[in-house]
């Protein structure tokens, strides 16, 4: 049995890593977090690579790159309790990850072409834009001047990623569209909760919930 390709083994390993990480961040056990959090993206990235049917395809390469920069972001954010600068490093890494996802989705959209499904896709884009604008309107008064530009830039990029996921409607298989779309929405929601917990109203139970939502988002994408 090739464990790099076995779905049951990889899903089980990923779920265990997520549970370990969510428990660690919820209880402040950094030692467990230092192991389980990077392990999440290592497992997911390996599983994706060895099960991809399109080696060398640009869509596949950019998704793989997104997972790699997500791993860097995860590692950086593990140490934000030691130095605030690690938060900015993590933010930058995830910004690049979302740019990689954006390029992958653009490639998918351009490859198929045509105007099918534009009304539905445009509706999804409008809904995502409204959410991003309203959330930014609530968030920006709580930001320090040095955080304003990087955080708002990140909000714009992740909103673009979700909108581009919406424009894959009728340009890919329905299962692929709905999985990626759900992942993009979960990514936006998990990052919104992270920003809320950090800048607006901290809640002791939110970090564990954020990890589970983030892990589900990456899995679906």
């Amino acid at each position: 049995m090739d464990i790099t390709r076995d779905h049951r083994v990889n899903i089980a390993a990923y779920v265990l890593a997520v549970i370990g990480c969510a428990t660690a961040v919820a209880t402040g056990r950094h030692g467990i977090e230092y192991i389980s959090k990077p392990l999440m993206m290592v497992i997911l990235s390996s599983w994706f690579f060895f099960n991809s049917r399109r080696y060398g395809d640009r869509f596949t390469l950019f998704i793989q790159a997104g997972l790699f920069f997500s791993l860097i972001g995860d590692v950086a954010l593990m140490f934000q309790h030691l130095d605030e600068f690690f938060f900015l490093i993590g933010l930058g890494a995830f910004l690049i990850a979302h740019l990689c996802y954006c390029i992958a989705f653009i490639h998918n959209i351009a490859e198929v072409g045509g105007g099918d499904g534009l009304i539905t896709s445009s509706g999804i884009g409008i809904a995502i834009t409204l959410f991003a604008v309203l959330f930014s309107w609530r968030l920006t008064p709580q930001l320090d001047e040095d955080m304003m530009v990087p955080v708002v830039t990140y909000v714009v990029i992740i909103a673009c990623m979700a909108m581009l996921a919406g424009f894959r409607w009728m340009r890919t298989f329905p299962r692929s569209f709905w999985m990626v779309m759900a992942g993009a929405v979960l990514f936006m929601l998990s990052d919104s909760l992270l920003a809320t917990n950090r800048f607006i109203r901290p809640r002791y139970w939110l970090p564990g919930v954020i990890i589970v939502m983030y892990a589900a988002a990456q899995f679906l994408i």
Side-chain angles (χ1 to χ4, degrees), residues 15-113:
V15 169
L16 286 174
V18 172
I19 293 171
C21 185
T23 303
V25 299
T27 57
R29 298 179 180 178
H30 296 297
I32 298 175
E33 182 186 3
Y34 293 159
I35 298 171
S36 58
K37 197 169 189 180
L39 196 57
M40 287 164 49
M41 288 304 104
V42 169
I43 293 169
L44 197 60
S45 182
S46 170
W47 185 26
F48 177 76
F49 177 80
F50 287 108
N51 283 276
S52 176
R53 297 178 181 178
R54 302 190 295 180
Y55 291 106
D57 176 81
R58 290 182 182 179
F59 180 87
T60 302
L61 289 174
F62 278 110
I63 294 296
Q64 192 74 55
L67 292 171
F68 171 74
F69 283 106
S70 295
L71 172 60
I72 294 176
D74 282 341
V75 172
L77 291 180
M78 288 192 307
F79 299 102
Q80 62 180 313
H81 65 285
L82 300 176
D83 190 326
E84 288 292 307
F85 187 62
F86 284 110
F87 176 77
L88 289 175
I89 295 174
L91 195 69
F94 276 111
L95 191 149
I96 297 172
H98 289 308
L99 285 174
C100 290
Y101 292 151
C102 284
I103 296 170
F105 299 159
I106 289 170
H107 176 71
N108 188 184
I109 294 165
E111 195 175 40
V112 177

Side-chain angles (χ1 to χ4, degrees), residues 135-162:
F135 183 74
S136 298
W137 177 76
R138 185 187 178 200
L139 178 64
T140 49
Q142 312 299 324
L143 298 175
D144 296 332
E145 187 176 344
D146 58 338
M147 284 288 185
M148 185 72 70
V149 173
V151 170
V152 172
T153 301
Y154 183 83
V155 171
V156 171
I157 294 301
I158 194 171
C160 287
M161 184 274 291

Side-chain angles (χ1 to χ4, degrees), residues 25 193-194 196-197 201-211:
V25 299
L193 288 176
L194 189 152
T196 300
N197 192 56
R201 188 178 297 174
R203 290 287 185 269
Y204 73 91
W205 49 269
L206 266 181
V209 174
I210 291 166
I211 286 295

